[in-house]
Amino acid sequence: MQAQAAQYGPRRRTRWRRLRKRFADRQKKRRGRGMAGDIDREGVEKAYGRWAPIYDLVFGKVFDQGRQSTIAEADRIGGRVLDVGVGTGLSLSEYKRTTKLCGVDISEPMLRRALKRVRTQGLSNVEALAVMDAKNLAFPDAFFDAVVAQYVITAVPDPEATLDDFIRVLKPGGELILVNHIGAESGPRRVFELAFAPLARRLGWRPEFPWERLTNWAAKHGGVSLAERRPMPPMGHFSLIRFRKS
């Protein structure tokens, strides 16, 4: 960050340092409270209930490549796939019909739209759609060949516990396939993400979610290995991430 600030004149460098200090102080307070509590289930449920009527219009094209990439990986594995945060069901028709699908979401208004899509398009490979908390999945251990979570992990109250439950329902050798925004480690984008974070939480997600949080979780869990991290548009700020269960 110091190298970035050196490009500017004395006044702008001073302003930059003040911003850095303000956001560093905010992060210390947030860490003191515990990041797991900075988003709550009720808030996320309400936020995505509000998004439901316009979700496809707003996010359909923006996240299309990430969505297509995760679907391709899940279809490569085949068998039975859990799509967590299935939302309005935008992805459901794009899986191969030979891939058996279960979809869950915290938002009932979102799932009503997904159910309508399944019925209208005759998606017979969709076995179930259910309102469910991603951290407490009502499925038995080792039930799925793959778990897909698109733009989910930054929007749940307890990411690590949620990831643990994803791995629990995976068969040995199965894959957890994520696509998600990963926060910048430094520079102007980092400053922007920290500044935007309070508003983003009201919208239902964390813009500053660090890559280190995922690697620390994997190391602590011990039963998974990182298979791939692939940059995704827009502008490479998102990543497709694959973990394989031992």
Side-chain angles (χ1 to χ4, degrees), residues 105-126:
D105 202 281
I106 196 66
S107 169
E108 188 174 349
M110 288 275 200
L111 277 180
R112 284 198 294 268
R113 290 175 175 267
L115 182 58
K116 182 179 180 181
R117 182 173 259 126
V118 168
R119 289 172 174 169
T120 300
Q121 299 183 18
L123 303 178
S124 57
N125 59 320
V126 177

PDB file of all heavy atoms in Angstrom, residues 105-126:
ATOM      1  N   ASP A 105     -31.896 -23.441  -0.733  1.00  0.00           N
ATOM      2  CA  ASP A 105     -31.679 -22.006  -0.588  1.00  0.00           C
ATOM      3  C   ASP A 105     -32.347 -21.550   0.704  1.00  0.00           C
ATOM      4  O   ASP A 105     -33.318 -22.161   1.164  1.00  0.00           O
ATOM      5  CB  ASP A 105     -32.262 -21.239  -1.778  1.00  0.00           C
ATOM      6  CG  ASP A 105     -31.628 -19.857  -1.950  1.00  0.00           C
ATOM      7  OD1 ASP A 105     -32.007 -18.922  -1.216  1.00  0.00           O
ATOM      8  OD2 ASP A 105     -30.734 -19.729  -2.812  1.00  0.00           O
ATOM      9  N   ILE A 106     -31.836 -20.461   1.265  1.00  0.00           N
ATOM     10  CA  ILE A 106     -32.398 -19.918   2.498  1.00  0.00           C
ATOM     11  C   ILE A 106     -33.650 -19.092   2.231  1.00  0.00           C
ATOM     12  O   ILE A 106     -34.455 -18.842   3.124  1.00  0.00           O
ATOM     13  CB  ILE A 106     -31.338 -19.050   3.240  1.00  0.00           C
ATOM     14  CG1 ILE A 106     -31.745 -18.797   4.688  1.00  0.00           C
ATOM     15  CG2 ILE A 106     -31.093 -17.744   2.506  1.00  0.00           C
ATOM     16  CD1 ILE A 106     -31.760 -20.034   5.533  1.00  0.00           C
ATOM     17  N   SER A 107     -33.821 -18.664   0.968  1.00  0.00           N
ATOM     18  CA  SER A 107     -34.907 -17.747   0.613  1.00  0.00           C
ATOM     19  C   SER A 107     -36.076 -18.488  -0.041  1.00  0.00           C
ATOM     20  O   SER A 107     -35.954 -19.014  -1.143  1.00  0.00           O
ATOM     21  CB  SER A 107     -34.384 -16.669  -0.343  1.00  0.00           C
ATOM     22  OG  SER A 107     -35.450 -15.918  -0.891  1.00  0.00           O
ATOM     23  N   GLU A 108     -37.216 -18.490   0.621  1.00  0.00           N
ATOM     24  CA  GLU A 108     -38.407 -19.124   0.042  1.00  0.00           C
ATOM     25  C   GLU A 108     -38.892 -18.419  -1.224  1.00  0.00           C
ATOM     26  O   GLU A 108     -39.269 -19.094  -2.192  1.00  0.00           O
ATOM     27  CB  GLU A 108     -39.524 -19.186   1.080  1.00  0.00           C
ATOM     28  CG  GLU A 108     -40.723 -19.989   0.620  1.00  0.00           C
ATOM     29  CD  GLU A 108     -41.760 -20.169   1.705  1.00  0.00           C
ATOM     30  OE1 GLU A 108     -41.471 -19.847   2.871  1.00  0.00           O
ATOM     31  OE2 GLU A 108     -42.875 -20.629   1.368  1.00  0.00           O
ATOM     32  N   PRO A 109     -38.875 -17.060  -1.285  1.00  0.00           N
ATOM     33  CA  PRO A 109     -39.274 -16.412  -2.534  1.00  0.00           C
ATOM     34  C   PRO A 109     -38.393 -16.808  -3.723  1.00  0.00           C
ATOM     35  O   PRO A 109     -38.882 -16.974  -4.848  1.00  0.00           O
ATOM     36  CB  PRO A 109     -39.122 -14.913  -2.213  1.00  0.00           C
ATOM     37  CG  PRO A 109     -39.324 -14.824  -0.747  1.00  0.00           C
ATOM     38  CD  PRO A 109     -38.700 -16.072  -0.198  1.00  0.00           C
ATOM     39  N   MET A 110     -37.101 -16.973  -3.485  1.00  0.00           N
ATOM     40  CA  MET A 110     -36.209 -17.438  -4.545  1.00  0.00           C
ATOM     41  C   MET A 110     -36.610 -18.839  -5.010  1.00  0.00           C
ATOM     42  O   MET A 110     -36.712 -19.126  -6.209  1.00  0.00           O
ATOM     43  CB  MET A 110     -34.759 -17.461  -4.048  1.00  0.00           C
ATOM     44  CG  MET A 110     -34.132 -16.107  -3.862  1.00  0.00           C
ATOM     45  SD  MET A 110     -33.428 -15.482  -5.406  1.00  0.00           S
ATOM     46  CE  MET A 110     -32.281 -14.259  -4.763  1.00  0.00           C
ATOM     47  N   LEU A 111     -36.850 -19.727  -4.048  1.00  0.00           N
ATOM     48  CA  LEU A 111     -37.151 -21.117  -4.391  1.00  0.00           C
ATOM     49  C   LEU A 111     -38.493 -21.255  -5.105  1.00  0.00           C
ATOM     50  O   LEU A 111     -38.667 -22.167  -5.924  1.00  0.00           O
ATOM     51  CB  LEU A 111     -37.136 -21.976  -3.131  1.00  0.00           C
ATOM     52  CG  LEU A 111     -35.760 -22.467  -2.679  1.00  0.00           C
ATOM     53  CD1 LEU A 111     -35.893 -23.310  -1.424  1.00  0.00           C
ATOM     54  CD2 LEU A 111     -35.077 -23.278  -3.766  1.00  0.00           C
ATOM     55  N   ARG A 112     -39.444 -20.398  -4.794  1.00  0.00           N
ATOM     56  CA  ARG A 112     -40.713 -20.446  -5.529  1.00  0.00           C
ATOM     57  C   ARG A 112     -40.478 -20.225  -7.017  1.00  0.00           C
ATOM     58  O   ARG A 112     -41.100 -20.870  -7.865  1.00  0.00           O
ATOM     59  CB  ARG A 112     -41.692 -19.414  -4.972  1.00  0.00           C
ATOM     60  CG  ARG A 112     -42.333 -19.830  -3.652  1.00  0.00           C
ATOM     61  CD  ARG A 112     -43.585 -19.020  -3.377  1.00  0.00           C
ATOM     62  NE  ARG A 112     -43.313 -17.619  -3.162  1.00  0.00           N
ATOM     63  CZ  ARG A 112     -43.095 -17.052  -1.977  1.00  0.00           C
ATOM     64  NH1 ARG A 112     -43.129 -17.806  -0.881  1.00  0.00           N
ATOM     65  NH2 ARG A 112     -42.862 -15.764  -1.866  1.00  0.00           N
ATOM     66  N   ARG A 113     -39.582 -19.318  -7.338  1.00  0.00           N
ATOM     67  CA  ARG A 113     -39.245 -19.068  -8.743  1.00  0.00           C
ATOM     68  C   ARG A 113     -38.497 -20.251  -9.344  1.00  0.00           C
ATOM     69  O   ARG A 113     -38.690 -20.599 -10.516  1.00  0.00           O
ATOM     70  CB  ARG A 113     -38.426 -17.778  -8.861  1.00  0.00           C
ATOM     71  CG  ARG A 113     -39.255 -16.542  -8.563  1.00  0.00           C
ATOM     72  CD  ARG A 113     -38.436 -15.260  -8.551  1.00  0.00           C
ATOM     73  NE  ARG A 113     -39.323 -14.116  -8.371  1.00  0.00           N
ATOM     74  CZ  ARG A 113     -39.849 -13.401  -9.372  1.00  0.00           C
ATOM     75  NH1 ARG A 113     -39.539 -13.678 -10.619  1.00  0.00           N
ATOM     76  NH2 ARG A 113     -40.675 -12.398  -9.123  1.00  0.00           N
ATOM     77  N   ALA A 114     -37.632 -20.876  -8.545  1.00  0.00           N
ATOM     78  CA  ALA A 114     -36.904 -22.059  -9.029  1.00  0.00           C
ATOM     79  C   ALA A 114     -37.866 -23.204  -9.322  1.00  0.00           C
ATOM     80  O   ALA A 114     -37.744 -23.900 -10.346  1.00  0.00           O
ATOM     81  CB  ALA A 114     -35.871 -22.491  -7.997  1.00  0.00           C
ATOM     82  N   LEU A 115     -38.840 -23.409  -8.432  1.00  0.00           N
ATOM     83  CA  LEU A 115     -39.815 -24.480  -8.622  1.00  0.00           C
ATOM     84  C   LEU A 115     -40.643 -24.246  -9.885  1.00  0.00           C
ATOM     85  O   LEU A 115     -40.906 -25.190 -10.659  1.00  0.00           O
ATOM     86  CB  LEU A 115     -40.730 -24.568  -7.407  1.00  0.00           C
ATOM     87  CG  LEU A 115     -41.783 -25.679  -7.421  1.00  0.00           C
ATOM     88  CD1 LEU A 115     -41.128 -27.055  -7.564  1.00  0.00           C
ATOM     89  CD2 LEU A 115     -42.630 -25.625  -6.148  1.00  0.00           C
ATOM     90  N   LYS A 116     -41.023 -22.999 -10.113  1.00  0.00           N
ATOM     91  CA  LYS A 116     -41.770 -22.672 -11.329  1.00  0.00           C
ATOM     92  C   LYS A 116     -40.940 -22.973 -12.571  1.00  0.00           C
ATOM     93  O   LYS A 116     -41.437 -23.514 -13.569  1.00  0.00           O
ATOM     94  CB  LYS A 116     -42.171 -21.197 -11.307  1.00  0.00           C
ATOM     95  CG  LYS A 116     -42.996 -20.770 -12.510  1.00  0.00           C
ATOM     96  CD  LYS A 116     -43.384 -19.304 -12.411  1.00  0.00           C
ATOM     97  CE  LYS A 116     -44.205 -18.875 -13.627  1.00  0.00           C
ATOM     98  NZ  LYS A 116     -44.574 -17.432 -13.548  1.00  0.00           N
ATOM     99  N   ARG A 117     -39.635 -22.674 -12.505  1.00  0.00           N
ATOM    100  CA  ARG A 117     -38.747 -22.936 -13.638  1.00  0.00           C
ATOM    101  C   ARG A 117     -38.639 -24.445 -13.900  1.00  0.00           C
ATOM    102  O   ARG A 117     -38.653 -24.890 -15.053  1.00  0.00           O
ATOM    103  CB  ARG A 117     -37.373 -22.331 -13.331  1.00  0.00           C
ATOM    104  CG  ARG A 117     -36.361 -22.464 -14.418  1.00  0.00           C
ATOM    105  CD  ARG A 117     -35.094 -21.685 -14.102  1.00  0.00           C
ATOM    106  NE  ARG A 117     -35.046 -20.435 -14.816  1.00  0.00           N
ATOM    107  CZ  ARG A 117     -34.869 -19.235 -14.267  1.00  0.00           C
ATOM    108  NH1 ARG A 117     -34.724 -19.120 -12.962  1.00  0.00           N
ATOM    109  NH2 ARG A 117     -34.826 -18.155 -15.003  1.00  0.00           N
ATOM    110  N   VAL A 118     -38.539 -25.230 -12.839  1.00  0.00           N
ATOM    111  CA  VAL A 118     -38.441 -26.691 -12.983  1.00  0.00           C
ATOM    112  C   VAL A 118     -39.696 -27.246 -13.644  1.00  0.00           C
ATOM    113  O   VAL A 118     -39.619 -28.087 -14.551  1.00  0.00           O
ATOM    114  CB  VAL A 118     -38.214 -27.342 -11.598  1.00  0.00           C
ATOM    115  CG1 VAL A 118     -38.400 -28.858 -11.675  1.00  0.00           C
ATOM    116  CG2 VAL A 118     -36.815 -27.024 -11.088  1.00  0.00           C
ATOM    117  N   ARG A 119     -40.852 -26.771 -13.197  1.00  0.00           N
ATOM    118  CA  ARG A 119     -42.115 -27.273 -13.754  1.00  0.00           C
ATOM    119  C   ARG A 119     -42.296 -26.828 -15.204  1.00  0.00           C
ATOM    120  O   ARG A 119     -42.687 -27.624 -16.066  1.00  0.00           O
ATOM    121  CB  ARG A 119     -43.274 -26.774 -12.899  1.00  0.00           C
ATOM    122  CG  ARG A 119     -43.350 -27.441 -11.526  1.00  0.00           C
ATOM    123  CD  ARG A 119     -44.377 -26.784 -10.643  1.00  0.00           C
ATOM    124  NE  ARG A 119     -44.544 -27.506  -9.382  1.00  0.00           N
ATOM    125  CZ  ARG A 119     -45.222 -27.030  -8.344  1.00  0.00           C
ATOM    126  NH1 ARG A 119     -45.791 -25.827  -8.405  1.00  0.00           N
ATOM    127  NH2 ARG A 119     -45.330 -27.739  -7.235  1.00  0.00           N
ATOM    128  N   THR A 120     -42.003 -25.568 -15.475  1.00  0.00           N
ATOM    129  CA  THR A 120     -42.198 -25.033 -16.825  1.00  0.00           C
ATOM    130  C   THR A 120     -41.294 -25.719 -17.838  1.00  0.00           C
ATOM    131  O   THR A 120     -41.708 -26.010 -18.968  1.00  0.00           O
ATOM    132  CB  THR A 120     -41.922 -23.514 -16.838  1.00  0.00           C
ATOM    133  OG1 THR A 120     -42.818 -22.872 -15.935  1.00  0.00           O
ATOM    134  CG2 THR A 120     -42.112 -22.923 -18.229  1.00  0.00           C
ATOM    135  N   GLN A 121     -40.045 -25.991 -17.432  1.00  0.00           N
ATOM    136  CA  GLN A 121     -39.073 -26.552 -18.357  1.00  0.00           C
ATOM    137  C   GLN A 121     -38.981 -28.070 -18.289  1.00  0.00           C
ATOM    138  O   GLN A 121     -38.197 -28.679 -19.012  1.00  0.00           O
ATOM    139  CB  GLN A 121     -37.700 -25.913 -18.101  1.00  0.00           C
ATOM    140  CG  GLN A 121     -37.699 -24.409 -18.307  1.00  0.00           C
ATOM    141  CD  GLN A 121     -36.326 -23.784 -18.121  1.00  0.00           C
ATOM    142  OE1 GLN A 121     -35.309 -24.469 -18.169  1.00  0.00           O
ATOM    143  NE2 GLN A 121     -36.290 -22.480 -17.925  1.00  0.00           N
ATOM    144  N   GLY A 122     -39.777 -28.673 -17.423  1.00  0.00           N
ATOM    145  CA  GLY A 122     -39.795 -30.134 -17.342  1.00  0.00           C
ATOM    146  C   GLY A 122     -38.462 -30.731 -16.948  1.00  0.00           C
ATOM    147  O   GLY A 122     -38.018 -31.716 -17.559  1.00  0.00           O
ATOM    148  N   LEU A 123     -37.842 -30.171 -15.926  1.00  0.00           N
ATOM    149  CA  LEU A 123     -36.504 -30.620 -15.513  1.00  0.00           C
ATOM    150  C   LEU A 123     -36.631 -31.842 -14.604  1.00  0.00           C
ATOM    151  O   LEU A 123     -36.573 -31.752 -13.378  1.00  0.00           O
ATOM    152  CB  LEU A 123     -35.755 -29.481 -14.814  1.00  0.00           C
ATOM    153  CG  LEU A 123     -35.607 -28.189 -15.629  1.00  0.00           C
ATOM    154  CD1 LEU A 123     -34.885 -27.114 -14.822  1.00  0.00           C
ATOM    155  CD2 LEU A 123     -34.858 -28.465 -16.938  1.00  0.00           C
ATOM    156  N   SER A 124     -36.794 -32.996 -15.206  1.00  0.00           N
ATOM    157  CA  SER A 124     -37.044 -34.228 -14.460  1.00  0.00           C
ATOM    158  C   SER A 124     -35.834 -34.701 -13.658  1.00  0.00           C
ATOM    159  O   SER A 124     -35.964 -35.555 -12.776  1.00  0.00           O
ATOM    160  CB  SER A 124     -37.493 -35.334 -15.415  1.00  0.00           C
ATOM    161  OG  SER A 124     -36.519 -35.544 -16.428  1.00  0.00           O
ATOM    162  N   ASN A 125     -34.643 -34.169 -13.970  1.00  0.00           N
ATOM    163  CA  ASN A 125     -33.443 -34.565 -13.218  1.00  0.00           C
ATOM    164  C   ASN A 125     -33.303 -33.805 -11.901  1.00  0.00           C
ATOM    165  O   ASN A 125     -32.405 -34.106 -11.108  1.00  0.00           O
ATOM    166  CB  ASN A 125     -32.188 -34.352 -14.064  1.00  0.00           C
ATOM    167  CG  ASN A 125     -32.002 -32.915 -14.504  1.00  0.00           C
ATOM    168  OD1 ASN A 125     -32.969 -32.242 -14.869  1.00  0.00           O
ATOM    169  ND2 ASN A 125     -30.770 -32.434 -14.493  1.00  0.00           N
ATOM    170  N   VAL A 126     -34.180 -32.830 -11.640  1.00  0.00           N
ATOM    171  CA  VAL A 126     -34.171 -32.120 -10.360  1.00  0.00           C
ATOM    172  C   VAL A 126     -34.988 -32.943  -9.367  1.00  0.00           C
ATOM    173  O   VAL A 126     -36.215 -33.037  -9.468  1.00  0.00           O
ATOM    174  CB  VAL A 126     -34.743 -30.692 -10.495  1.00  0.00           C
ATOM    175  CG1 VAL A 126     -34.777 -30.007  -9.136  1.00  0.00           C
ATOM    176  CG2 VAL A 126     -33.912 -29.888 -11.483  1.00  0.00           C
TER     177      VAL A 126
END
